[in-house]
Amino acid sequence: MNNAKDYFCSMETPVNIYINEKPLVIAGLQQHLSPEFVNAATLFSPSDEETAQTIRLLDKGELPMAVLRSPNPETVLAQVKSHFTEFVAAGGLITNATGEVLLMFRRGKWDMPKGKLDDGETLEQCALREVQEETGLRNVRLGHLITETYHYYPLKEKKVLKHSYWYRMYFTGTELTIPQIEEDIMDIQWIRPDNLGKYMQYSYQNIVDVVVKAGYKL
């Protein structure tokens, strides 16, 4: 049985949901937000129609960002999710013995390995399987959960919201990486921490969030 919902009794807030790389932030009424969101369009206890309209404007690029505040942010998150098909995924931020971080070049962006949760898998099993499939690395040890991210993408006729769980992982072997070409992975590199900022300029906002939450300075 998939058990993603069992991992947190209450959601980690604020939550950033990236819609075409534009942040939709869900937070409590008194929760502190980053300075970048101080002047963002903000709705308090939004109705479902207001939520839908906000999503549409972000999707069209007519809003650069938006904030939804509520005394019950979990309810607002559920309201946002109702406008999408939700996929649960898991992946990892992998470091090697010298502390370098693994990044993959896929579809024009620097990314990290992750993939959709299969029936019967735990999140940890999914994260390790996806790392092994996408990078070819076998000797990988699972660490702690770093964070969760949400991002939207269109898939055929569906509007998909990918809810990804990200784990710390440690490569302990000597094997070379093997990019999974069928997943459009063209290159894999080990990046020194002090160079991560250069690569994050050509990555996704949810990946930047994972790197920052893992404690790296960009």
Side-chain angles (χ1 to χ4, degrees), residues 21-62:
E21 293 293 278
K22 306 291 193 300
L24 174 62
V25 182
I26 300 172
L29 293 178
Q30 304 301 323
Q31 215 149 22
H32 175 73
L33 297 181
S34 300
E36 64 196 284
F37 300 119
V38 168
N39 296 317
T42 302
L43 294 173
F44 294 88
S45 299
S47 67
D48 189 58
E49 178 50 41
E50 288 174 328
T51 297
Q53 176 68 2
T54 302
I55 291 170
R56 284 194 293 271
L57 292 173
L58 289 166
D59 191 13
K60 292 178 180 178
E62 294 177 12

Side-chain angles (χ1 to χ4, degrees), residues 112-149:
M112 292 190 295
K114 69 175 179 310
K116 189 179 173 186
L117 186 71
D118 285 345
D119 289 338
E121 279 189 315
T122 65
L123 290 166
E124 294 91 344
Q125 289 168 341
C126 174
L128 283 171
R129 174 181 57 77
E130 288 290 340
V131 164
Q132 291 170 350
E133 290 175 357
E134 294 194 339
T135 69
L137 300 179
R138 299 294 164 188
N139 292 287
V140 178
R141 178 171 59 84
L142 188 74
H144 66 273
L145 183 68
I146 299 169
T147 190
E148 305 168 58
T149 64

Side-chain angles (χ1 to χ4, degrees), residues 170-202:
Y170 305 93
F171 173 55
T172 57
T174 58
E175 63 266 30
L176 298 176
T177 55
I178 304 172
Q180 190 179 20
I181 301 300
E182 58 267 35
E183 287 294 326
D184 299 324
I185 301 167
M186 307 309 296
D187 189 21
I188 297 176
Q189 292 190 20
W190 292 102
I191 309 301
R192 285 171 38 193
D194 55 354
N195 285 331
L196 281 172
K198 300 173 185 176
Y199 286 81
M200 290 299 100
Q201 296 177 54
Y202 305 99

